[in-house]
C-alpha cells in the first residue's frame, strides 16, 4: 500500500520533472499514464486516480525512494564537474562521447542529476534493458514516444521525434551490459539522428575492454561505433596509484562535507570509506539515523 506521504513525494517529483518535457501529453506518456489521469494528478488528486502499481512505476522512473532514504545533496567533486561539463558540451553541440572509468566515483549520480535539471535529456540504465527491443522501447518511453505496436514503427517514431526536438541527449549508463544486437542498433540510431542528437556512453573499464576486444576480433559494427563516439575514451581518475588514492579521498571528503551532519569528523568518514562514495553514504546514513 502506497502511503499518502509517499504519494506526495512522487507528486513533487512529477511536478519537478515536468519542466523537461514540451507538453503535458509527452510528460504523461513518459510516465506511462493517460492525459486525463495526468491532469487529475497534476491538480493534486492522489486518491483513486492511480493504482499502487502505477505509483510504484512512476516512483521508479523518477528515482523516488519509498524507503525514507536520506536525500543527498550534489557535491562539486572532480567527477561531478568533469561529467557535468562533458554532458553539457555534448548536448549543446549534438556530439557523442564515451566515459570509461572505475566504479564508485559518482558517474551515475552526476548523470541522473544532470537529466533532472536539463530538458530533452534522458538517462538509460543499460543493465536493465540489455536487448535491442527493450533498449529502444526504454529510450522511446523516456521521451514520451509510444511503445505499443510494431518495433519498426516505434524505432521510426523515436527517430522522427529526436530529429524534431531541440538538442536531445541520451545517456547510456552501464553500456557494457548491452547485447551485441543492441550495440548495432545504437549505430543505426546514431546514423538516423546524426547532428541532431547527442549520445553519452558510460561504463567501467569492462566497457573499454569489450569494445577494444570486439574491434581486435573484427566484430562488425564496433569500429564504426567507436568512431561515432569520438574515437577515444574519457577518464576522470588518475592512472598513477598514489595520485588516484589522493583523488578518491578528496572526492570522499567533498561529498562528506556537504552531506554529513554538523560536527561530524570528516577525516574519520574518509578513512572508513577508503575513498569509495557508496561507503561514504553508508557512514553518513549511520550518523544521521543515530
Amino acid at each position: 500500500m502506497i502511503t499518502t506521504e509517499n504519494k506526495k513525494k512522487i507528486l513533487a517529483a512529477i511536478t519537478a520533472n515536468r519542466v523537461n518535457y514540451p507538453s503535458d501529453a509527452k510528460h504523461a506518456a513518459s510516465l506511462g499514464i493517460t492525459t486525463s489521469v495526468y491532469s487529475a494528478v497534476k491538480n493534486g488528486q492522489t486518491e483513486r486516480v492511480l493504482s499502487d502499481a502505477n505509483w510504484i512505476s512512476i516512483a521508479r522512473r523518477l528515482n523516488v525512494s519509498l524507503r525514507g532514504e536520506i536525500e543527498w545533496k550534489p557535491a562539486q567533486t572532480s567527477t561531478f564537474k568533469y561529467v557535468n561539463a562533458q554532458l553539457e558540451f555534448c548536448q549543446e553541440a549534438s556530439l557523442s562521447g564515451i566515459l570509461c572509468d572505475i566504479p564508485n566515483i559518482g558517474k551515475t549520480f552526476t548523470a541522473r542529476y544532470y537529466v533532472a535539471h536539463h530538458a530533452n535529456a534522458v538517462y538509460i540504465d543499460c543493465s536493465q534493458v540489455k536487448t535491442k527491443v527493450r533498449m529502444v522501447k526504454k529510450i522511446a518511453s523516456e521521451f514520451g514516444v509510444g511503445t505499443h505496436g510494431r518495433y519498426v514503427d516505434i524505432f521510426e517514431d523515436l527517430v522522427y521525434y529526436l530529429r524534431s526536438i531541440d538538442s536531445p541527449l541520451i545517456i547510456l549508463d552501464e553500456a557494457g551490459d548491452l547485447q551485441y544486437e543492441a550495440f548495432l542498433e545504437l549505430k543505426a540510431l546514431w546514423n538516423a539522428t546524426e547532428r541532431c542528437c547527442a549520445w553519452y556512453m558510460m561504463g567501467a573499464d569492462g566497457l573499454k575492454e569489450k569494445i577494444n576486444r570486439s574491434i581486435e576480433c573484427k566484430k562488425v559494427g564496433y569500429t564504426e561505433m567507436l568512431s561515432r563516439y569520438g574515437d577515444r575514451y574519457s577518464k576522470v581518475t588518475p592512472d598513477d596509484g598514489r595520485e588516484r588514492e589522493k583523488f578518491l579521498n578528496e572526492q570522499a571528503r567533498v561529498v562528506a562535507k556537504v552531506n554529513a551532519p554538523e560536527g561530524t569528523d570528516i577525516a574519520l568518514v574518509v578513512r572508513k570509506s577508503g575513498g569509495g562514495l557508496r561507503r561514504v553514504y553508508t557512514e553518513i546514513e549511520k550518523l544521521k539515523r543515530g
Side-chain angles (χ1 to χ4, degrees), residues 98 100 205-219 222-223 225-226 231-233:
I98 302 181
C100 293
D205 292 334
L207 171 62
K208 181 178 177 180
E209 288 166 15
K210 180 177 184 174
I211 295 171
N212 286 345
R213 189 168 61 248
S214 298
I215 289 171
E216 285 166 18
C217 296
K218 295 185 168 43
K219 205 165 184 181
Y222 278 88
T223 301
M225 194 199 66
L226 182 60
D231 262 329
R232 61 183 291 270
Y233 305 101

Side-chain angles (χ1 to χ4, degrees), residues 127-185:
S127 69
Q128 303 301 310
V129 288
K130 299 175 185 179
T131 67
K132 173 181 81 174
V133 174
R134 290 194 67 190
M135 177 192 72
V136 169
K137 282 188 171 184
K138 178 64 174 173
I139 295 170
S141 71
E142 288 297 317
F143 279 108
V145 174
T147 57
H148 299 295
R150 297 189 311 156
Y151 173 76
V152 65
D153 293 328
I154 296 167
F155 183 96
E156 288 178 4
D157 286 348
L158 172 60
V159 168
Y160 177 81
Y161 185 68
L162 290 174
R163 293 182 67 88
S164 69
I165 60 175
D166 184 39
S167 303
L169 166 69
I170 299 165
I171 302 170
L172 302 161
D173 198 6
E174 305 288 0
D177 287 359
L178 289 174
Q179 292 180 3
Y180 176 53
E181 61 169 10
F183 266 102
L184 289 181
E185 201 72 339

